[in-house]
Amino acid sequence: MCVKLVIVGGVAGGATAAARARRVSEDAEIIMFERGEYISFANCGLPYYIGNVIEKREDLLLATSEEFKQRYNIDVRIFSEVVGINAKEKAVEIKNTTTGKMYWENYDKLILSPGAEPIKPPLEGIELDNIFHLRNVPDSDRIKKIVDERNPRCAVAVGGGFIGLEMAENLTERGVKTTIVEMLDQVMPPLDYEMASLLHEHLEAKNVELELENGVKSFSKAGNRILVSTQKGRDIECDMVLLSVGIRPENKLAKQADLKIGPTGGIAVDDTMRSSDPNIYAVGDAVEVRDLVTGFPTLTALAGPANKQARIAADNALGRKSIFTGTLGSSVVKVFDMVAASTGANEKFLKKHDIPYLVSYTHSGSHAGYYPGATQTSIKILFSPGTGKLLGAQIVGKKGVDKRIDVLATAIRAEMTVYDLQELELAYAPPYSSAKDPVNISGFVAANILKGDMEITHWSELDTLQKNDAILIDLRTKLELKYAGKMPDALHIPIDELRARLSELDKQKTYIPFCAVGFRGYLGHRILVQNGFKSRNLSGGFMTYTMANKGE
């Protein structure tokens, strides 16, 4: 039987579903509707096109409608917006956005890939010229035209997520002084605060101004410029504004078709990507899927999951059985010379939902220290207190961040524990890693915590512990204290002197040994507890403490 498959929307979801459907069936009739001109483009590359990193506009266009028709024998209809669904009659209503003509098209199976729409808060002046969203190629054309032709001196990015950071970088590289206004106390919400603080420091070093814990109140004209008024009373004059305050699933069509909408606002689908209507599937930014770590419903606006969902939806629409098991939300972002990445659950989410977890921080070299060019890689992992099962990971550094977050994402999907991280045999040569890779190191430290070889405390607990008479012992050298800074009220005993000076300590007290990144703190802890002292090592050492207390 020849199936008529209609697909609403292109790009990562719709175009992938269409191509997969043709590979599965040469006989299927496949029609794809796209309300714009571009059915397949690299939307993740748009900030880099504006920044001239990607020089040729055509490099963003993965396939034109004509190329797609030719290769896949698919009826591609651009400038065609699906405005309604009659699920009972199995038909969609289409509006030709060029001519205004309306017509209906029937289907046997329907795949929805409408994506997500940028949130446009109802702020005074938001309709002024030179206030932009960045969602598609025409958006990037408009922004790039302003930057190319008008040479703006400064810009405001409202929101410190992926788009806000990437645009801040690319505008800055083009000589546009950029301020990020963010309502949260940090950029990059997938990261926990202390990890994001590394980005704060780097952004400021690159001349990007951060206006954190502050929102926009209104926009107004200031001559030929825009005045951005914040909720805390600051006014920022600029030449252009980029709105990147978030997105929400485009569920209008789904609601109109009476499809079930999940608690997150996304279209509810099962593990075959089928909606509450057995003939309608949905994929991409518009759908609610299962979080692989917690099992909770979640939205994941990422190209990787959208591609996988599209393949699965196409398979099932054409009679094959394929399953989407869930998402980890694995992501990575370049911020000037730094890279930040995350996978799985973060601490904020685990704490909010009362899910038991432990945390470990490690700071390792990106490759062997004796080989030139090594940089520091900061890793935070979250794991189950009992089994050591890995729940989430975050990494911030300059080199090798992407490959290590991919290892940890694979480990989470494989339900590995921190003990398994110790055993991973990862490629090593001095220019690329160390004999004990940073991923191995994170496993060693976490396993030591679980085995009881190391009792730890975290930066967030220090005030309480010190109020209860715990004593900090700084194990670093005098030179480190001079150049890297000191911890308030810490007793200074270099690690190599600790054994000889144990008589100076009180066994009735609790001691918190620490060093730069944690290793000497661990050594000090083992010396103390094996000599009858009460000790808790500061996880991540002075580095993590400093990260968490930046700006205070």
Side-chain angles (χ1 to χ4, degrees):
M1 177 178 134
C2 179
V3 174
K4 183 174 181 180
L5 174 64
V6 167
I7 299 170
V8 178
V11 201
T16 300
R20 175 63 176 177
R22 177 56 72 216
R23 291 195 296 271
V24 169
S25 172
E26 271 292 307
D27 298 325
E29 182 183 356
I30 304 171
I31 306 173
M32 181 168 68
F33 294 103
E34 168 56 50
R35 63 185 159 200
E37 180 180 357
Y38 305 101
I39 62 159
S40 184
F41 63 91
N43 48 2
C44 296
L46 298 179
Y48 302 100
Y49 171 59
I50 294 167
N52 284 339
V53 178
I54 298 171
E55 297 179 356
K56 297 179 181 179
R57 184 177 183 274
E58 57 265 30
D59 289 344
L60 295 171
L61 308 178
L62 305 180
T64 67
S65 56
E66 289 302 319
E67 290 169 343
F68 210 73
K69 290 177 185 178
Q70 180 68 30
R71 176 162 294 182
Y72 295 107
N73 187 29
I74 290 169
D75 184 355
V76 179
R77 304 182 193 177
I78 58 175
F79 300 116
S80 298
E81 181 178 7
V82 175
V83 295
I85 301 173
N86 186 330
K88 185 176 180 181
E89 298 295 328
K90 295 168 64 175
V92 292
E93 186 177 20
I94 300 97
K95 177 183 179 180
N96 184 305
T97 59
T98 303
T99 66
K101 177 185 175 183
M102 306 284 290
Y103 66 98
W104 288 86
E105 190 76 46
N106 68 311
Y107 63 84
D108 295 315
K109 300 292 181 181
L110 177 66
I111 297 178
L112 299 177
S113 180
E117 60 182 343
I119 293 173
K120 192 173 183 179
L123 299 175
E124 180 184 344
I126 200 166
E127 302 295 342
L128 290 173
D129 290 341
N130 300 334
I131 297 179
F132 303 99
H133 288 102
L134 180 59
R135 186 187 185 191
N136 52 38
V137 175
D139 290 339
S140 69
D141 288 339
R142 285 188 286 270
I143 298 170
K144 193 171 190 303
K145 183 179 176 66
I146 294 289
V147 178
D148 288 346
E149 297 180 1
R150 299 190 188 177
N151 298 312
R153 299 197 309 273
C154 58
V156 169
V158 184
F162 291 96
I163 296 295
L165 290 181
E166 289 169 348
M167 282 301 300
E169 174 185 348
N170 281 280
L171 289 173
T172 299
E173 296 287 12
R174 294 206 57 186
V176 184
K177 166 69 177 171
T178 304
T179 300
I180 295 175
V181 179
E182 169 57 63
M183 291 189 69
L184 300 177
D185 61 355
Q186 66 169 89
V187 299
M188 278 303 290
L191 300 179
D192 291 314
Y193 172 81
E194 69 280 11
M195 300 299 286
S197 66
L198 291 168
L199 298 181
H200 298 166
E201 184 178 25
H202 188 62
L203 284 161
E204 289 168 348
K206 292 294 186 178
N207 202 33
V208 174
E209 186 177 0
L210 295 179
E211 186 71 30
L212 302 175
E213 296 185 270
N214 200 359
V216 173
K217 182 180 179 181
S218 66
F219 303 101
S220 57
K221 296 188 77 171
N224 293 325
R225 310 186 81 199
I226 299 170
L227 187 69
V228 181
S229 299
T230 70
Q231 294 174 356
K232 290 188 175 180
R234 184 184 174 194
D235 290 335
I236 308 169
E237 275 196 25
C238 64
D239 301 301
M240 58 186 295
V241 173
L242 179 83
L243 293 174
S244 56
V245 296
I247 57 176
R248 55 177 159 237
E250 285 214 12
N251 57 22
K252 182 179 177 182
L253 275 176
K255 285 182 174 179
Q256 189 261 342
D258 203 27
L259 302 182
K260 181 181 178 182
I261 305 298
T264 65
I267 304 168
V269 293
D270 63 16
D271 57 8
T272 69
M273 305 311 299
R274 184 173 58 186
S275 73
S276 54
D277 184 304
N279 297 305
I280 302 177
Y281 296 80
V283 302
D285 299 356
V287 303
E288 175 182 283
V289 292
R290 174 178 171 270
D291 179 90
L292 199 58
V293 172
T294 65
F296 292 170
T298 188
L299 299 170
T300 306
L302 296 167
N307 272 277
K308 295 172 184 65
Q309 294 162 16
R311 289 170 56 89
I312 289 164
D315 279 357
N316 287 293
L318 294 177
R320 288 193 179 187
K321 186 64 181 278
S322 293
I323 298 297
F324 185 72
T325 56
T327 182
L328 291 174
S330 301
S331 62
V332 63
V333 63
K334 176 184 178 294
V335 184
F336 293 98
D337 303 324
M338 295 199 78
V339 182
S342 66
T343 186
N346 60 27
E347 187 172 3
K348 292 174 287 193
F349 185 89
L350 295 172
K351 188 178 291 185
K352 177 181 177 181
H353 294 281
D354 295 319
I355 298 171
Y357 68 93
L358 292 173
V359 177
S360 177
Y361 299 95
T362 53
H363 307 281
S364 306
S366 57
H367 59 251
Y370 57 83
Y371 188 90
T375 59
Q376 188 163 261
T377 302
S378 298
I379 300 180
K380 176 179 184 177
I381 60 171
L382 303 110
F383 52 98
S384 294
T387 63
K389 181 181 175 182
L390 198 59
L391 303 175
Q394 299 163 41
I395 309 179
V396 180
K398 292 186 176 181
K399 298 179 181 179
V401 170
D402 52 343
K403 72 174 182 177
R404 279 152 187 139
I405 204 69
D406 286 344
V407 170
L408 292 166
T410 303
I412 296 174
R413 181 164 282 276
E415 299 188 349
M416 289 184 176
T417 69
V418 296
Y419 300 110
D420 295 315
L421 297 185
Q422 300 177 105
E423 304 300 326
L424 290 177
E425 187 174 332
L426 303 173
Y428 159 60
Y432 303 107
S433 184
S434 297
K436 291 182 285 190
D437 188 85
V439 171
N440 297 133
I441 296 294
S442 70
F444 291 140
V445 173
N448 283 339
I449 295 170
L450 289 175
K451 289 185 293 187
D453 287 343
M454 180 170 62
E455 186 175 356
I456 62 167
T457 190
H458 292 294
W459 61 271
S460 56
E461 302 168 320
L462 286 186
D463 286 345
T464 300
L465 288 169
Q466 287 182 283
K467 286 176 183 176
N468 291 322
D469 296 325
I471 298 173
L472 291 163
I473 303 180
D474 194 330
L475 301 172
R476 296 174 296 159
T477 65
K478 288 182 180 180
L479 202 61
E480 286 177 280
L481 267 65
K482 180 179 179 180
Y483 291 105
K486 302 178 182 180
M487 192 91 83
D489 303 318
L491 177 65
H492 181 224
I493 305 178
I495 181 64
D496 294 333
E497 300 176 17
L498 182 60
R499 287 186 183 88
R501 295 176 61 179
L502 290 176
S503 60
E504 300 175 20
L505 306 181
D506 184 349
K507 289 188 177 180
Q508 301 305 311
K509 300 286 188 180
T510 296
Y511 292 95
I512 304 172
F514 71 93
C515 61
V517 298
F519 179 63
R520 285 170 291 174
Y522 169 54
L523 298 181
H525 170 79
R526 294 304 299 162
I527 291 170
L528 289 167
V529 296
Q530 291 182 86
N531 281 278
F533 293 90
K534 292 178 285 187
S535 170
R536 298 176 68 177
N537 184 24
L538 178 61
S539 181
F542 187 71
M543 174 68 182
T544 298
Y545 172 83
T546 305
M547 285 160 45
N549 288 281
K550 287 289 183 187
E552 292 190 3

